[in-house]
Amino acid sequence: QAVIHRSSYSPSSSLRVMAETHKRLYPYTRGGRDEMVSMRRLDDLPELNPDDLEKEILVKIDVQGCEDKVIQGAERFLTRTKVMIVEVSFIPLYEEQPLFADIYKMLTNLGFAYAGAIHQKRHKENGRVIAEDAVFIRP
């Protein structure tokens, strides 16, 4: 069981508390409510047994600042993963969220290599990258 912080803009809901930076950049995400939800690790789902899956798996992770938790709960599953697309942030949008460098280190330690970005969200005033869909491959 965990508390999810449901945003008034549903795609911004997260298990982590929204940072003030997020609210300032995306004011339409302010507001919402907390709710209890059930969670399970990917490695604990029998239907995702890596021995029963195809050899080359693509995984997309877009979990609003909880990327580290998903990766930690899927290390066995990720042994069969060939490509990962992970939404990563370069500035904190949620409290205690891992940033790009943290996710990069986790995934390179699991044998993945960074292969670039599919899409980047940029700050509307200064043009800096806020977040991106980062691609990691297992060579």
Side-chain angles (χ1 to χ4, degrees), residues 94-117:
Y94 297 89
E95 293 179 11
E96 300 178 19
Q97 87 173 96
L99 298 180
F100 173 83
D102 304 307
I103 300 305
Y104 175 90
K105 184 176 181 180
M106 288 180 80
L107 292 178
T108 56
N109 286 341
L110 292 173
F112 290 90
Y114 178 67

Side-chain angles (χ1 to χ4, degrees), residues 42 51 66 79 106:
L42 290 174
D51 297 329
C66 296
T79 62
M106 288 180 80

Side-chain angles (χ1 to χ4, degrees), residues 21-86:
T21 304
H22 190 294
K23 294 174 189 175
R24 191 170 52 257
L25 289 170
Y26 308 106
Y28 55 90
T29 65
R30 294 177 184 265
R33 59 184 168 80
D34 291 348
E35 182 178 318
M36 289 297 291
V37 294
S38 296
M39 294 184 357
R40 292 173 57 195
R41 295 165 25 98
L42 290 174
D43 280 347
D44 294 339
L45 298 174
E47 60 271 25
L48 292 182
N49 180 342
D51 297 329
D52 298 336
L53 298 173
E54 299 292 327
K55 289 184 179 182
E56 296 187 354
I57 300 168
L58 177 131
V59 172
K60 170 69 164 102
I61 299 175
D62 185 347
V63 290
Q64 306 314 107
C66 296
E67 299 78 18
D68 57 334
K69 302 299 184 193
V70 172
I71 294 166
Q72 290 166 352
E75 288 184 3
R76 185 174 59 92
F77 174 72
L78 293 178
T79 62
R80 296 294 291 272
T81 300
K82 180 71 174 173
V83 179
M84 292 187 66
I85 302 170
V86 184

Side-chain angles (χ1 to χ4, degrees), residues 110-122:
L110 292 173
F112 290 90
Y114 178 67
I118 294 175
H119 175 262
Q120 293 181 325
K121 294 176 187 168
R122 294 186 174 269

